[in-house]
RNA sequence: GGAGAGAUGGCAGAGCGGUUGAAUGCGGCGGUCUUGAAAACCGCUGAACCCUCACGGGUUCCGUGGGUUCGAAUCCCACUCUCUCCUCCA
């Protein structure tokens, strides 16, 4: 949700951001116009209410209250009429009235793009910030992970389809174990870097979804039981960020770092025909999500740190990757700045997203009302929230299979995972 | 799923329908005293929004939403949540 105060104070900044995202900035003028009308109505309303309160207080002070009430009744009744109509008008214009035009504009507008986010209209303008590792050269044709996995008997897409349709996978034996090993590895590393592990609910209310801004982003991409009013989380970012909704921190409580391992559920409605094979795009996948709650002045440094936290995992696993700074046009709704981590996939000779780290600044905090106090008596401020994958388990698993595949079809387990997997190689079962 | 109890400020806990945004205690902040600290004492101590350059003024908020009334934390209705007991279950 956009900050109405910022719109008033620095409308050009909002306009600039909209233009950089590739949208029409004229809504800013509409916001200012509606805001002006609302404040006028509010002032009128409050004046009338003050008058009425004064009359009521007179009755309270009178020695004969009944008589006072009787004599003032006509005046009060007149005020009541004016108050009712002014109240209706003010409400219809208010920024916090659910379907008011002003509210709609503030709520539907994406976050203000940070200055350091590169210009550009779409993914082709994303900037490679750095690249790590050298893709391995294979003396044979590198196979895609689904072939490797099926041959090893650790991935079973056919039976998954029998159970649940397309975009599901069954992991078996060391495949299942490798998946669990990755999750455990990620969580252990997160803990070592100061993230507190959280096991959140996977079903959340519509309000929780709304608070983190997912309802606009994933609304038709989410699984839900509308009757029960519960949504399956598309990412643990949702419960982690909303965890402290309506709370006020004192300065010593910040920063907060959370890590959660959770399944994620997505309809992938807009991705028909894309990535239909393998583990890349599933209706259900697991992920370790990192969330940080920061002081505003620290949030961009925290984004660098969080991105480094995620990247360190790939480095420890020996998986080549690159870091992209997403351009303004490719930035998601909530984000002011995003780094994507892309891992190297030898079967397709390309880098694929395995983590996305975003600084949502105060955008989600405003919706969720997560605030803090700089000094004991200071005014309340919104915190900044950040989230990033650290990492997506399924995609890491497939990256391991592809990057560590051997000519005989077996897969070497990366050193760092061996204690977790309990094996240094995955070979075909007899 | 059935029965009951409850929801008030950071916490605990009062609150006859009338100057109650809310007693009291704890906590927190500031001060006096002290070499320092503690204790004691004094003062302050919720939020959002609007008007104002400012001083200041105003409106709203006692789970949520309605209603009664000139006036509601207090009365009425609905809902939500929490707790206890039963049922069920992992």
């Amino acid at each position: 949700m956009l900050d109405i105060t910022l719109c008033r104070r620095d409308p050009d900044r909002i306009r600039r951001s909209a233009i950089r995202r590739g949208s029409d900035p004229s809504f800013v003028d509409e916001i200012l116009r509606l805001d002006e009308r609302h404040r006028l109505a509010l002032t009128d309303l409050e004046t009338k209410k003050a008058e009425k309160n004064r009359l009521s207080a007179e009755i309270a002070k009178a020695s004969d209250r009944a008589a006072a009430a009787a004599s003032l009744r006509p005046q009060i009744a007149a005020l009541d009429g004016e108050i009712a109509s002014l109240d209706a008008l003010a409400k219809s214009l208010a920024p916090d009235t659910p379907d008011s035009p002003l509210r709609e504009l503030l709520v539907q507008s994406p976050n203000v793009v940070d200055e350091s986010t590169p210009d550009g209209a779409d993914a082709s303008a994303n900037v490679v910030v750095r690249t790590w590792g050298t893709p391995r050269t294979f003396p044979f044709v590198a196979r895609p992970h689904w072939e490797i996995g099926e041959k090893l008997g650790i991935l079973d897409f056919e039976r998954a389809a029998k159970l649940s349709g397309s975009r599901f996978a069954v992991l078996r034996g060391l495949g299942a174990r490798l998946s669990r090993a990755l999750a455990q590895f990620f969580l252990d590393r997160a803990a070592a870097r100061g993230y507190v592990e959280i096991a959140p609910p996977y079903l959340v209310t519509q309000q929780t979804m709304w608070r983190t801004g997912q309802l606009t982003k994933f609304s038709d991409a989410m699984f839900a039981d509308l009757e029960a009013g519960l949504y399956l989380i598309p990412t643990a970012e949702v419960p982690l960020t909303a965890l402290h909704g309506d709370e006020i921190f004192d300065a010593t409580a910040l920063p907060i770092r959370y890590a959660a391992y959770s399944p994620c559920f997505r309809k992938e409605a807009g991705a028909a025909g894309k990535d239909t094979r393998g583990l890349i795009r599933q209706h259900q996948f697991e992920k370790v999500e990192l969330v940080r709650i920061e002081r505003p002045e620290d949030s961009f440094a925290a984004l660098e740190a969080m991105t480094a936290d995620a990247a360190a995992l790939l480095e420890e696993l020996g998986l080549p990757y690159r870091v992209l700074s997403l351009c303004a046009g490719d930035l998601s709704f909530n984000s002011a700045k995003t780094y994507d981590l892309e891992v190297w996939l030898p079967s397709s000779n390309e880098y694929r997203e395995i983590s996305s780290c975003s600084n949502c600044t105060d955008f989600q905090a405003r919706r969720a009302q997560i605030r803090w106090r700089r000094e004991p008596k200071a005014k309340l401020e919104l915190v900044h929230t950040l989230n990033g994958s650290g990492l997506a388990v399924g995609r890491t698993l497939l990256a391991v299979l592809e990057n560590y595949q051997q000519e005989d079809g077996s897969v070497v387990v990366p050193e760092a995972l061996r204690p977790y997997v309990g094996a240094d190689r995955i070979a075909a079962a007899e």
Side-chain angles (χ1 to χ4, degrees), chain A residues 83-304:
Chain A
I83 287 170
S85 60
L86 281 168
D87 184 64
L89 176 64
K91 264 215 185 81
S92 72
L93 291 166
D96 49 3
T97 297
D99 289 313
S100 81
L102 181 52
R103 170 98 178 165
E104 287 301 299
L105 288 172
L106 292 172
V107 157
Q108 283 169 9
S109 304
N111 197 1
V112 178
V113 177
D114 186 66
E115 297 302 334
S116 66
T117 288
D119 282 321
D122 56 48
S124 67
N126 293 340
V127 173
V128 178
V129 175
R130 65 193 176 89
T131 302
W132 182 92
T134 313
R136 184 182 146 202
T137 51
F138 292 82
F140 55 94
V141 177
R143 285 179 291 269
H145 67 276
W146 57 87
E147 282 185 27
I148 302 167
E150 280 172 343
K151 227 165 235 156
L152 289 172
I154 61 172
L155 291 181
D156 188 342
F157 294 101
E158 232 171 87
R159 291 197 177 89
K162 178 169 71 183
L163 295 175
S164 308
S166 66
R167 294 202 190 282
F168 287 92
V170 170
L171 304 185
R172 183 172 183 277
L174 284 177
R177 191 175 180 112
L178 179 57
S179 173
R180 183 160 54 87
L182 284 167
Q184 184 108 353
F185 168 71
F186 293 157
L187 284 171
D188 284 353
R189 295 301 181 271
R193 284 170 179 258
Y195 293 84
V196 174
E197 183 174 345
I198 301 285
Y202 305 147
L203 288 165
V204 300
T205 59
Q206 180 171 351
Q207 189 201 35
T208 300
M209 278 298 173
W210 187 86
R211 292 189 137 191
T212 52
Q214 306 299 324
L215 228 43
T216 35
K217 183 166 140 199
F218 285 121
S219 48
D220 50 342
M222 282 186 312
F223 289 100
D225 181 340
L226 296 177
E227 205 181 332
L230 291 173
Y231 292 68
L232 281 158
I233 56 172
T235 160
E237 170 198 339
V238 173
L240 288 185
T241 303
L243 196 59
H244 292 293
D246 289 324
E247 291 183 23
I248 296 165
F249 296 109
D250 59 46
T252 59
L254 300 178
I256 289 171
R257 295 196 248 283
Y258 289 137
Y261 170 59
S262 85
C264 306
F265 304 92
R266 299 183 186 176
K267 284 192 175 172
E268 298 295 347
K274 250 171 85 180
D275 305 316
T276 49
R277 301 206 66 178
L279 284 175
I280 284 274
R281 198 172 296 276
Q282 302 272 292
H283 286 310
Q284 174 192 320
F285 63 95
E286 270 109 65
K287 182 157 64 69
V288 170
E289 182 75 359
L290 307 176
V291 159
R292 298 170 83 125
I293 299 177
E294 298 280 345
R295 301 177 183 212
E297 62 268 33
D298 298 334
S299 70
F300 283 94
L303 177 63
E304 300 298 326

Side-chain angles (χ1 to χ4, degrees), chain A residues 4-39:
Chain A
I4 180 78
T5 314
L6 177 65
C7 293
R8 258 179 236 151
R9 209 184 53 231
D10 192 1
D12 276 336
R13 182 150 168 233
I14 315 284
R15 289 192 191 98
R16 221 164 38 237
S17 168
I19 292 166
R20 294 185 69 204
R21 278 186 184 268
S23 50
D24 180 1
S26 61
F27 71 92
V28 178
D29 297 308
E30 186 65 8
I31 287 176
L32 293 177
R33 204 175 60 78
L34 289 166
D35 178 49
E36 181 74 31
R37 280 177 58 198
H38 169 245
R39 277 150 63 212

